[in-house]
Amino acid sequence: EVQLVESGGGLVQPGGSLRLSCAASGFTFSTYWMTWVRQAPGKGLEWVANINQDGSEKYYVDSVKGRFTISRDNAKNSLYLQVNSLRVEDTAVYYCARGLSSSWHTAEGYWGQGTLVTVSS
Amino acid sequence: EIVLTQSPGTLSLSPGERATLSCRASQSVSSSYLAWYQQKPGQAPRLLIYGASSRATGIPDRFSGSGSGTDFTLTISRLEPEDFAVYCCQQYATSPWTFGQGTKVEI
């Protein structure tokens, strides 16, 4: 069974940093693109970033470029999102997701339960 | 980036009725890389449809997707009580992937 478990969220002041983690199990982690998606309170889903199987390709939504960094450790079956220079508008539940297939062009077939990041002074 | 606009914002229906949800893209979504998700309060999204019309594993056949290019539709043939939720479309053809703002299906 595919399982994705996020951690690392919390309350942080504007300008602060956090490292979000996603522990994956139940599949061969190193063979899938992985994705972060966020959802602000009461709002819709926003795709944040994804990373290819060996970490050599990374893509970001414009609003987080230069502030967020996606990475992975295939030996530890883990996905990460380093979030720096946080803004109030980054407040959201951050979901880790895995594609339905190992292709770049794939819908997100599996989701974690999310971790809440709150940016407030 | 491709902007996805969903309509209506809210759909008020009764169990047993048919629901038709629209997702319109600001530019053509190549190869029909369009997905639909269902989300209930406090839960992660659940994939319903991918490739515009393929049902994900375990999704009942009352859910169907159609469309191509810039116009896509999710149809729920007969609403069950558990179907009242928010539905969101996503394109994964052109980076950055984008989501629509969602349609709430309520009783």
Side-chain angles (χ1 to χ4, degrees):
Chain A
E1 179 192 3
V2 173
Q3 286 201 329
L4 301 168
V5 180
E6 302 94 335
S7 61
L11 175 63
V12 61
Q13 293 188 337
S17 299
L18 284 173
R19 189 195 197 202
L20 309 183
S21 299
C22 172
S25 61
F27 64 100
T28 305
F29 180 72
S30 61
T31 63
Y32 287 88
W33 281 78
M34 295 297 296
T35 299
W36 287 99
V37 175
R38 68 183 178 182
Q39 186 169 36
K43 302 296 185 182
L45 299 167
E46 181 180 34
W47 179 89
V48 174
N50 63 4
I51 185 169
N52 74 336
Q53 286 85 345
D54 65 5
S56 61
E57 293 183 51
K58 305 173 186 182
Y59 300 92
Y60 299 91
V61 68
D62 281 351
S63 60
V64 309
K65 282 180 182 175
R67 300 188 301 122
F68 290 13
T69 302
I70 189 172
S71 63
R72 65 191 296 161
D73 185 335
N74 288 340
K76 294 183 177 179
N77 290 339
S78 293
L79 176 72
Y80 305 103
L81 188 68
Q82 179 69 41
V83 296
N84 298 331
S85 304
L86 282 163
R87 306 168 180 167
V88 171
E89 56 266 32
D90 295 318
T91 294
V93 173
Y94 285 73
Y95 293 102
C96 163
R98 195 210 87 176
L100 200 58
S101 77
S102 58
S103 167
W104 181 40
H105 294 287
T106 181
E108 306 304 338
Y110 300 90
W111 298 70
Q113 84 290 349
T115 187
L116 176 63
V117 172
T118 303
V119 184
S120 174
S121 54
Chain B
E1 71 178 42
I2 295 179
V3 176
L4 300 178
T5 302
Q6 291 186 241
S7 60
T10 302
L11 201 50
S12 298
L13 295 168
S14 300
E17 290 193 297
R18 181 184 188 89
T20 304
L21 288 65
S22 172
C23 176
R24 180 161 290 177
S26 60
Q27 55 187 277
S28 183
V29 177
S30 60
S31 302
S32 294
Y33 288 138
L34 192 287
W36 289 93
Y37 299 87
Q38 177 193 68
Q39 190 175 26
K40 297 180 180 179
Q43 296 185 17
R46 173 194 183 196
L47 176 65
L48 299 175
I49 301 288
Y50 63 95
S53 61
S54 297
R55 269 188 303 277
T57 302
I59 302 303
D61 61 7
R62 63 180 181 272
F63 290 92
S64 63
S66 62
S68 63
T70 60
D71 289 295
F72 299 88
T73 300
L74 174 70
T75 301
I76 311 171
S77 59
R78 290 175 311 279
L79 284 164
E80 297 288 341
E82 62 268 26
D83 299 337
F84 291 91
V86 174
Y87 294 84
C88 187
C89 57
Q90 180 209 17
Q91 67 82 21
Y92 49 97
T94 302
S95 187
W97 302 167
T98 50
F99 291 90
Q101 82 281 14
T103 290
K104 182 179 182 180
V105 177
E106 64 176 23
I107 298 176

